Structures are given as structure tokens and as C-alpha cells.
Amino acid sequence: MADFYELLGVPPSATEDEIKRAYRKLARELHPDASGGDPHSEERFKEVTVAYETLRDPERRRRYDMFGPEAASAGASGFDAGPFAGGLGDLFEGFFGGGFGSPFGGGGRGGRPRSRQGPDMEVALDLTFEEAVFGAQREVRLRQPVACATCQGTGARPGTTPVTCSECQGSGEVHRVRRSILGQMVSSSPCPRCGATGEEIASPCNDCRGEGRVTEERAYTVEVPAGVDDGSTLRLTGRGAAGARGGGYGDLYVHLRVAAHERFQRHGQDLVDVLHLPVTQATLGAHLRYETLEGTEDLVVPAGTQSGRVFRLRGRGVPSLDGRGRGDLLVQVMVDTPTHLSAEQEELLRRFAAARGDEVAPADTRLFAKIRSAFK
Ligand SMILES: [Zn+2]
Ligand SMILES: [Zn+2]
């Protein structure tokens, strides 16, 4: 299937209005009533309509941009959870590695012929921790071969058209016949004259020297879904390199690199944080304002909380990629032993120890130790 943007003749950055206008114009030209029943026009009308139906819907367009036509046509409720069973790092494998049946069809690579299509390209995209958790709209820029605007990718100088290759008569292959005792042996190989395209260019386009493509910088919007992880890969269908002489576009693979967070660590869909508590709060209990990734929450620390205890804030973790639910935020308590006590604090703590009957080191030993270290 051709690229939906190309079918409609709009750039991938086109607004909804531009897409609608482009479709109306094409529909007027190609509609069976207007084209007099020309079967080619009818076929194109169908293709253009499929493209429009996908791109007019923001959600389906987003999915088409990310994962290609198969994902855009798969039900409106989002992705199947199945491919993610192996973990978030398998996003790429799950979607494109083949080997699973639904919902994108066998192999997942779409039905476009690969022979003359341009190569796939790769680009890295750095995300903050929060962008990976909550999703983001980001732009990637790269220099890539694109169809030559001067010759519309044909490679032929404007006003001229490529002609059928004189050596292979347009088949793109040459056959060699040898006689042997068993009869005639026929072998075929790619036509060297036309590079297997079946066409020859008599007067090449000046801008692309007959190749039908030129290198340009392009920018694409990447819709990063909430819940991606470091090492995930997104595919932008048809945003790779242009093939020679109108050969169609490869795909663009966007490799995601997610920065670490200074407090939160990620364990699958759960977030883990360590909360330091003074011994007083851990002992007597406290009502704290606790900073999550998305704002502050009340955290009730019960009296007698031990070091190592884990509070679970349900649904405050990482969303699952299929949009169903979120992980939890696990807050692990670390009780800090007080240091650098004032004379008054030390006096209170000694009385506390005496009241409990706890045997502690006498005060003067510590004093002597302090004096010794001061004269070192
Ligand atoms: Zn050109
Ligand atoms: Zn040829």
C-alpha cells in the first residue's frame, strides 16, 4: 500500500484542513461519476478514500504515523496487549518481528513491494523520564533521500518521460539461453542496462542526475505513547529513504533513549523511591506531603514505622502501553540515625535511653574522642 500522505499529495505535517481539502479535490477528479468509469481512477479513488478515512481521525492518524497502516486499521480501542507480554523492551519485536497472528496480519510488515523501495532509516530520540512515563510529542530531524520535486521522482527531465528499456523490454530481467545436451537452459538475471527498473531515461533530470531522489533535511513529529521504556523502538511507516526513480519510501525507526530520574527508579511498570525519615517521625508517626511524578500527595506514616517498610501508592506508576491501567509507586522507608546532636538534644536522648534502660556509651568517652580527633 502506498503512503497515505503521498496518496493524498500532502506532507506528513499537513493540518486536518489541508488533508480535507486535498481529499475533496482528488475525490472530484477520481469519483466514478466524474471519471466515466475508468477502472484505474476507481481503484485510486478507493485508495485515496482509505487514506483519508485514516488521516482525518487524529487517533488513527497518530497510530498510522507510529506503526503504519495495519495499526491504524486495527480497532479503535487501542493495541492488543498480547505483543507486550514479554516486557516493554519488546515493543519493537512485538510489533514488527513477525511470528504473531493478530491484529496486524502475518509478519506485520504490510503489503508493499520491497524490491524498489528505499531503505529503512534509523534515528535516536532522547526522552526525559517523565516523557517516557506520560508520553510526549517530539520532533526528529534527519537528512534523507526524498523524491526529487523537479522530476517527481521519475528521474526524467521535465517534459520527457522514461522509455521502455531496449534491452529487457521493460521486464527488468534479461534471459540467457544456452544449448545443452538436455535441451535449452534459460537463466535470468537483473537487466544491467536499466538497473532492473525496466525503464531507461533518455534525458536525465538535472537536479537528481536521473536518480529520481535528492537528499534533504526532513522533520517528523513523533507521538511517543505513554509507558515506553529505554530501548523501545517506534516505526514511522514511509518516513525512511526514498527509493530510486519513484521506488517508494522505506520506514523510519526511532530508537528511544530515556534519561534516568534523580529519585525514581523503574521496575517494569512500578516506580520505586527511597524515603528518608528521621527517627522521630518513624517512631511517633507523621503526616507528610509526598512528591510523586505528578504532584504532591498525603502520606500517612504510622507510629512505629520500621526502616525498610514499603508504602504502595496504587496507580501512581507507569501506564501500560495498551492504555489499560498503571503500575504502582513503591515508597521504601529508610530511617536515618541522627548525627551532630546539640548538647540539649544529646541530653534528651540520654534521658530517653535511661528511661528505656538502654545501655549506651558514656558521654565523656565521646567527648574525649572528639577532642582527640580535633588535635589529629
Ligand atoms: Zn529529478
Ligand atoms: Zn532493462
Side-chain angles (χ1 to χ4, degrees):
M1 198 184 308
D3 178 81
F4 286 174
Y5 294 101
E6 275 176 36
L7 275 173
L8 290 170
V10 296
S13 58
T15 63
E16 278 176 50
D17 250 18
E18 287 166 341
I19 288 169
K20 194 190 276 181
R21 275 202 301 277
Y23 173 69
R24 285 211 179 128
K25 185 166 169 287
L26 284 167
R28 272 199 298 276
E29 291 167 16
L30 298 170
H31 193 275
D33 296 341
S35 63
D38 170 25
H40 178 71
S41 297
E42 207 175 312
E43 192 52 41
R44 269 203 70 205
F45 178 66
K46 279 184 200 153
E47 286 179 357
V48 161
T49 302
V50 169
Y52 174 63
E53 288 300 326
T54 299
L55 298 184
R56 69 187 291 208
D57 179 312
E59 175 58 24
R60 291 179 66 189
R61 182 180 180 182
R62 189 179 71 81
R63 279 188 279 155
Y64 174 80
D65 287 345
M66 264 193 295
F67 302 114
E70 301 91 337
S73 58
S77 62
F79 304 116
D80 190 270
F84 302 115
L88 295 169
D90 294 333
L91 176 62
F92 170 76
E93 283 300 315
F95 268 115
F96 315 118
F100 66 96
S102 61
F104 308 120
R109 272 238 55 137
R112 288 173 298 156
R114 302 287 298 178
S115 52
R116 291 181 56 209
Q117 187 170 304
D120 296 334
M121 296 186 77
E122 297 177 293
V123 66
L125 177 60
D126 288 306
L127 299 174
T128 66
F129 194 83
E130 287 84 350
E131 285 173 328
V133 171
F134 297 117
Q137 193 175 63
R138 293 286 308 275
E139 190 178 77
V140 292
R141 289 182 167 275
L142 70 161
R143 286 183 65 74
Q144 62 175 187
V146 298
C148 172
T150 311
C151 61
Q152 317 243 294
T154 62
R157 189 173 299 170
T160 71
T161 45
V163 294
T164 304
C165 172
S166 57
E167 186 155 340
C168 64
Q169 276 77 46
S171 71
E173 297 187 318
V174 284
H175 305 283
R176 215 153 49 100
V177 181
R178 274 185 301 141
R179 286 188 183 283
S180 75
I181 48 168
L182 297 170
Q184 286 190 345
M185 305 269 288
V186 181
S187 63
S188 56
S189 53
C191 173
R193 186 177 180 89
C194 63
T197 61
E199 289 179 336
E200 271 185 281
I201 290 170
S203 32
C205 165
N206 286 330
D207 289 354
C208 62
R209 296 200 201 89
E211 226 209 312
R213 53 184 178 176
V214 292
T215 300
E216 276 181 11
E217 181 172 296
R218 286 281 164 101
Y220 301 113
T221 301
V222 181
E223 296 283 353
V224 178
V228 294
D229 204 351
D230 189 47
S232 299
T233 298
L234 304 175
R235 179 176 67 155
L236 304 193
T237 306
R239 302 291 180 277
R245 295 198 209 159
Y249 285 81
D251 299 333
L252 177 60
Y253 290 90
V254 182
H255 301 297
L256 304 180
R257 295 189 297 218
V258 181
H261 194 275
E262 57 176 12
R263 270 176 54 209
F264 297 109
Q265 294 205 329
R266 194 162 156 173
H267 293 259
Q269 278 173 240
D270 291 335
L271 294 175
V272 178
D273 183 24
V274 174
L275 176 67
H276 289 266
L277 286 180
V279 73
T280 47
Q281 288 183 334
T283 309
L284 303 172
H287 287 209
L288 303 179
R289 299 291 288 162
Y290 175 77
E291 204 63 48
T292 69
L293 264 186
E294 56 219 288
T296 49
E297 295 201 12
D298 291 319
L299 185 67
V300 177
V301 177
T305 293
Q306 301 294 329
S307 206
R309 175 163 180 181
V310 175
F311 296 110
R312 182 180 287 266
L313 304 184
R314 294 202 182 275
R316 290 286 175 269
V318 181
S320 73
L321 274 166
D322 61 14
R324 295 172 202 174
R326 288 178 65 173
D328 301 331
L329 171 51
L330 308 177
V331 185
Q332 185 170 41
V333 168
M334 171 90 85
V335 177
D336 290 336
T337 305
T339 53
H340 307 295
L341 298 177
S342 69
E344 186 197 2
Q345 287 168 350
E346 180 167 346
E347 169 60 20
L348 286 169
L349 205 51
R350 285 188 176 281
R351 279 165 55 193
F352 177 72
R356 282 173 51 93
D358 294 340
E359 199 176 298
V360 296
D364 49 355
T365 335
R366 278 186 67 257
L367 193 61
F368 288 137
K370 258 186 197 167
I371 292 166
R372 268 206 304 276
S373 65
F375 279 92
K376 253 181 201 163

